[in-house]
Amino acid sequence: MNPAKPTQNAPLLELQHVSKVYPNGTLASDDVSLAIHAGEIHAIVGENGAGKSTVMKMLYGQEQPGSGHLRMQGQMLHLPNPAAAIAAGIGLVPQHPQLLPSFSVADNIVLGAEPMRGGRIDRRAAVQQVRALSRRFGLEVDPQARAGELAIGMQQRVEILKALFRGARILLLDEPTAVLAAQEAQALFDALRSMVAEGLTVVLISHKTREVCAIADRFTVLRRGRVSGAGMMRDTSPTELGHMIVGAAAMPLPLRPSVTRTGVPLVSVRGLQARHADGRQALGPLSFDIAAGEILGIAGVEGNGQDLLARVLLGQHPTQGGQASVDGRRFSGLDVRAVRSCGVAAIAEDRLHDGVAVNMSIADNLIATRYHQRPLSRRGWLDIAAIGAAARQVIERCGVKAASAQDLIGTLSGGNMQKVVLGRETAGAPRLLIASQPTRGVDMGAARSLQTQLVALCQAGSAVLLISADLDELLSLSDRVAVMAGGELVAHFCGQDLAVETLGPYMTGSHRQDNVAATLDAPFTASGVAS
């Protein structure tokens, strides 16, 4: 937790009795007042749909208050658009980077504010200025790298530098760790502390209580569009913060009954390999098993092959060797529809890009993987009544908050959108569910609901491959945990009583075990808990 900073008499930036009603009648902000002080990290906390993003948009000029007003250093502040916010020294770092992938890092950062020389863009000066700025704030990036080839954590650094280059003194970050691994999140927090030490002010939108407690100086909690709590973080416990967020005692992670190791795998993977498009080895050889009713967790710093493993197993990327089978039936090397016909389902890492079609209805998204099967389809024609009934059943079973199955799925909160995805993928009682980052970017309540459904799926006899950057989730749910680094397995642990401190050295590459196989008869890594 940061040490307390001197409180200034007047806040730097304020919202005073601000309300916002959208044209569809949604009351997003209801008499919200909050004060942001200079030289602090102020967290705005709450579940999905609590009104956090609306407040952020008003602070950045993307939305206008219906009533109430903003003040900066005691003076009335009108932000008709983002350009006015930038002029006022306010910068926004979006949750999902919005860079031009074919442009260099430097070109993205200086875009619209390019240094000029002789009527032309001075690219050498741009590179020099970007390099100096990145070093000043501890956000090292290669100014000449192509933005689209950077890892997501590096892209986020570019977004931060882009705001700082335009003179931002107040930095707004929307769910900045939603797409980051634990090590990347820690590096970001270190950079934010450096910024505050330089005199900047940071406003952090989040629903992660542990991170808020670790980084914030001051906080404001929103629930259902209203302020439900505020104060200094040093005076508030994580339990108290959780109560303010959800209005009741925070739900614990679902308990996983211990699974007895058997020699009979439901899912068997042996020597699985894959290559990059340029022919370089990208994955494997990997060997692991998953028993019926078991969750095998995959830990690792993002970018070490976890996502590729999921895509290879689902038939979205070709294999270069080895095989995978479920119930003794080989499914590796098949196309996606054939893989799914073997009883394999998947939750995609990026739900917006790979998990849903945001401009289609909830019902259409729910049938996307089985529209061609009975009872949804008969003799090549969709059965509208059957589709409606199936959609309503999933909405009810998964607790999706929506007025109708015909609502566009893109209008749902992240948590409700992910409930639709999980409901679709579990509707056919899959034998294997590949769950990649299943609770990323969703609030505490939705995360617990999704995790409970994963546990229920296992208890019904399915196998789950859980790929998650949330180590609390991974350790709570997994029967066994394998660590990936450089596309290989480097450790294999029993999930019972496994600690983050044990995983860390293997995830970062300082420790590794050679020739690891996470099969049911394989020994555990020595530093793990013995079976």
Side-chain angles (χ1 to χ4, degrees):
M1 187 180 301
N2 285 354
K5 296 182 176 59
T7 301
Q8 300 182 7
N9 293 330
L12 174 62
L13 185 61
E14 295 176 90
L15 268 69
Q16 295 184 332
H17 304 289
V18 167
S19 294
K20 174 69 178 182
V21 180
Y22 285 107
N24 64 0
T26 299
L27 178 60
S29 296
D30 186 6
D31 194 33
V32 171
S33 294
L34 61 86
I36 298 163
H37 292 255
E40 288 187 344
I41 298 178
H42 189 124
I44 301 176
V45 195
E47 296 188 289
N48 292 116
K52 307 186 303 296
S53 294
T54 298
V55 167
M56 182 75 86
K57 289 176 181 178
M58 288 190 286
L59 290 173
Y60 194 59
Q62 293 174 321
E63 296 286 354
Q64 304 303 310
S67 61
H69 49 266
L70 282 68
R71 289 183 178 273
M72 179 175 281
Q73 294 181 319
Q75 303 298 311
M76 292 287 291
L77 178 65
H78 178 52
L79 301 175
N81 49 52
I86 293 170
I90 301 172
L92 174 66
V93 179
Q95 178 177 340
H96 299 281
Q98 298 173 358
L99 305 175
L100 294 174
S102 62
F103 279 33
S104 71
V105 166
D107 286 342
N108 269 281
I109 290 172
V110 306
L111 185 64
E114 297 90 342
M116 306 297 291
R117 182 178 182 182
R120 295 184 177 182
I121 297 174
D122 189 339
R123 297 191 180 278
R124 179 177 295 181
V127 168
Q128 291 174 344
Q129 291 174 24
V130 167
R131 185 172 284 121
L133 188 68
S134 66
R135 288 174 178 171
R136 175 185 172 189
F137 290 104
L139 295 167
E140 293 284 351
V141 293
D142 179 1
Q144 295 173 307
R146 191 181 299 272
E149 297 175 356
L150 298 179
I152 192 70
M154 283 295 176
Q155 290 186 30
Q156 188 180 68
R157 288 188 178 194
V158 177
E159 287 283 11
I160 294 172
L161 291 169
K162 186 175 178 179
L164 295 175
F165 186 81
R166 284 156 179 74
R169 304 302 298 171
I170 303 172
L171 200 61
L172 312 176
L173 293 100
D174 187 5
E175 300 283 4
T177 65
V179 295
L180 301 184
Q183 290 79 7
E184 292 174 317
Q186 186 57 55
L188 172 64
F189 291 160
D190 292 342
L192 294 181
R193 292 189 183 101
S194 297
M195 294 176 201
V196 169
E198 288 267 354
L200 273 67
T201 300
V202 174
V203 181
L204 185 72
I205 292 280
S206 181
H207 61 260
K208 299 183 178 181
T209 56
R210 174 177 293 189
E211 292 181 353
V212 169
C213 292
I215 190 67
D217 299 299
R218 197 183 301 267
F219 70 90
T220 299
V221 178
L222 297 179
R223 187 168 76 241
R224 297 178 183 176
R226 297 184 64 89
V227 174
S228 63
M232 299 297 295
M233 197 64 256
R234 66 170 182 263
D235 300 326
T236 308
S237 71
T239 300
E240 291 170 328
L241 186 63
H243 183 84
M244 295 178 200
I245 293 171
V246 301
M251 295 171 59
L253 281 161
L255 295 175
R256 284 280 293 131
S258 179
V259 173
T260 302
R261 297 183 85 196
T262 70
V264 183
L266 174 61
V267 177
S268 177
V269 175
R270 294 292 183 271
L272 193 68
Q273 299 182 59
R275 296 184 182 277
H276 292 293
D278 60 7
R280 291 179 297 116
Q281 185 79 7
L283 195 68
L286 301 179
S287 295
F288 59 85
D289 296 327
I290 313 176
E294 186 184 35
I295 295 179
L296 175 64
I298 301 293
V301 176
E302 290 195 50
N304 277 274
Q306 302 96 308
D307 180 54
L308 181 59
L309 170 61
R311 290 189 285 117
V312 167
L313 290 175
L314 194 60
Q316 296 174 324
H317 188 98
T319 61
Q320 296 294 326
Q323 66 177 32
S325 62
V326 57
D327 280 324
R329 183 180 179 186
R330 179 170 178 168
F331 65 88
S332 54
L334 304 180
D335 62 34
V336 175
R337 179 177 284 192
V339 169
R340 285 186 172 276
S341 72
C342 293
V344 180
I347 298 172
E349 176 178 328
D350 185 345
R351 62 174 171 267
L352 291 178
H353 186 268
D354 301 314
V356 300
V358 294
N359 294 319
M360 297 179 71
S361 70
I362 297 171
D364 287 340
N365 276 273
L366 282 171
I367 68 169
T369 61
R370 54 195 182 100
Y371 65 89
H372 56 290
Q373 300 172 346
R374 286 179 175 270
L376 304 179
S377 166
R378 296 178 184 274
R379 298 178 181 175
W381 293 87
L382 295 177
D383 187 326
I384 303 303
I387 290 170
R392 289 190 294 272
Q393 184 180 37
V394 171
I395 288 171
E396 182 177 351
R397 172 168 62 87
C398 297
V400 179
K401 295 179 181 177
S404 166
Q406 298 308 314
D407 289 353
L408 293 181
I409 197 169
T411 64
L412 300 183
S413 67
N416 282 297
M417 195 181 296
Q418 193 73 332
K419 287 178 183 179
V420 172
V421 173
L422 181 57
R424 178 186 68 211
E425 298 300 322
T426 58
R431 301 299 287 148
L432 167 64
L433 176 66
I434 305 164
S436 298
Q437 315 298 346
T439 60
R440 169 173 282 172
V442 305
D443 61 60
M444 186 188 307
R448 297 301 180 263
S449 174
L450 293 163
Q451 290 159 348
T452 299
Q453 289 182 63
L454 290 179
V455 170
L457 184 67
C458 270
Q459 291 174 335
S462 297
V464 173
L465 181 67
L466 175 61
I467 301 170
S468 178
D470 184 337
L471 296 184
D472 286 338
E473 174 177 77
L474 202 70
L475 297 181
S476 173
L477 298 182
S478 301
D479 298 290
R480 291 180 294 122
V481 176
V483 182
M484 284 189 71
E488 299 178 327
L489 297 183
V490 297
H492 174 217
F493 299 108
C494 175
Q496 187 175 5
D497 299 324
L498 180 61
V500 171
E501 292 75 17
T502 302
L503 290 175
Y506 292 92
M507 293 175 62
T508 57
S510 60
H511 287 58
R512 67 173 289 136
Q513 180 184 358
D514 293 328
N515 302 316
V516 171
T519 55
L520 292 175
D521 58 357
F524 291 124
T525 299
S527 55
V529 179
S531 59

